[in-house]
Amino acid sequence: MTAPLVRRTVAEAVGTAALVAVVVGSGIQATELTQDVGVQLLANSLATVFGLGVLIALLGPVSGAHFNPVVTAVAWLDGRRHGDGPSVRDVATYIPAQIVGAIAGAIVADAMFGKPLVQWSGHDRFAGHLWLGEVVATAGLILLIFGLARTGRAHFGPVAVASYIGAAYWFTSSTSFANPAVTVGRAFTDTFAGIAPGSIGPFIAAQLAGAALGLGLVLAVFGRRRPSPSTPAPASVPVPVPVPVRDETGLAAPTLP
């Protein structure tokens, strides 16, 4: 990737905003079309799968399509030894852009459906089994993203990451937020996909724990990366992985929701 930091930051903000708009908007649409919670979740998860896959494919070549602070942080940690991950400056720019984008995405979704632009969610998600679900969801996302990078299969990212998030909607108790920025953004909407502000802290703590666990699993399963002077690294990878960059910058892994 050769895009300047400003353009990459805009891509992260726009991509995260679009992701949250998909998650929140499809949730609102689903609740207006049916009262069956299972059908509502199915509609919400399918829209997220398609939307996330498209966003990763579109914006990955520009910014790496992180859309997720834990992906950005792990990319920085994983790339420090080789000098090919995001710089501290990139991390300090990406993460605020992701958070602002997530909040904007929730507001836009509410506006499209005639809801109050900002209304704190009353959807309480304060329970230990939900936190465990977030640990599992985030660890799996990190293992997938960085495992693909380790095995030279990063080009499968748009499909693989989107598919994983769609599956995690159903197999985790928390419906797989797996993303601190998305978690914050979803607190701004009192709709199907919302999360009460009081539930944010434990969710983010669980996501950070899951990110650490996921990186540990990457190292345990795939080992540490070794420099290979004879094989140049790809210039850009259209998925949220730690692409080789200099002054630039990793589901989210998509995250979700």
Side-chain angles (χ1 to χ4, degrees):
M1 291 187 301
T2 58
L5 181 57
V6 171
R7 282 175 51 199
R8 288 184 280 116
T9 302
V10 170
E12 284 297 299
V14 170
T16 311
L19 174 59
V20 173
V22 168
V23 173
V24 174
S26 62
I28 297 173
Q29 184 77 286
T31 57
E32 292 185 352
L33 294 176
T34 178
Q35 297 302 310
D36 187 317
V37 177
V39 176
Q40 291 171 354
L41 185 60
L42 178 61
N44 194 208
S45 60
L46 285 176
T48 301
V49 168
F50 296 137
L52 179 58
V54 168
L55 289 170
I56 293 172
L58 175 65
L59 298 175
V62 180
S63 68
H66 301 189
F67 313 148
N68 189 334
V70 296
V71 172
T72 299
V74 172
W76 172 72
L77 286 171
D78 190 52
R80 284 190 306 166
R81 180 167 172 258
H82 295 265
D84 60 358
S87 67
V88 173
R89 181 184 176 209
D90 295 328
V91 174
T93 305
Y94 269 37
I95 292 178
Q98 292 159 356
I99 294 172
V100 171
I103 295 171
I107 293 173
V108 168
D110 282 340
M112 287 193 294
F113 288 91
K115 305 292 184 181
L117 296 186
V118 175
Q119 186 173 18
W120 297 119
S121 174
H123 193 164
D124 181 71
R125 300 177 189 261
F126 196 94
H129 67 282
L130 300 180
W131 305 335
L132 176 59
E134 280 301 286
V135 172
V136 172
T138 310
L141 178 63
I142 295 300
L143 176 61
L144 172 62
I145 291 172
F146 293 87
L148 288 174
R150 286 287 204 284
T151 56
R153 297 176 178 175
H155 55 284
F156 289 119
V159 172
V161 172
S163 297
Y164 172 79
I165 291 299
Y169 256 87
W170 291 90
F171 77 76
T172 66
S173 56
S174 63
T175 65
S176 182
F177 283 47
N179 185 326
V182 168
T183 302
V184 171
R186 287 168 66 166
F188 284 74
T189 176
D190 191 20
T191 58
F192 180 78
I195 178 173
S199 300
I200 291 177
F203 256 57
I204 292 179
Q207 291 157 3
L208 294 176
L213 175 60
L215 181 56
L217 290 173
V218 170
L219 296 176
V221 174
F222 300 101
R224 294 183 178 276
R225 288 190 298 144
R226 292 178 175 81
S228 179
S230 60
T231 305
S236 64
V237 182
V239 292
V241 296
V243 293
V245 292
R246 289 297 177 268
D247 67 333
E248 46 200 352
T249 172
L251 251 48
T255 70
L256 291 91

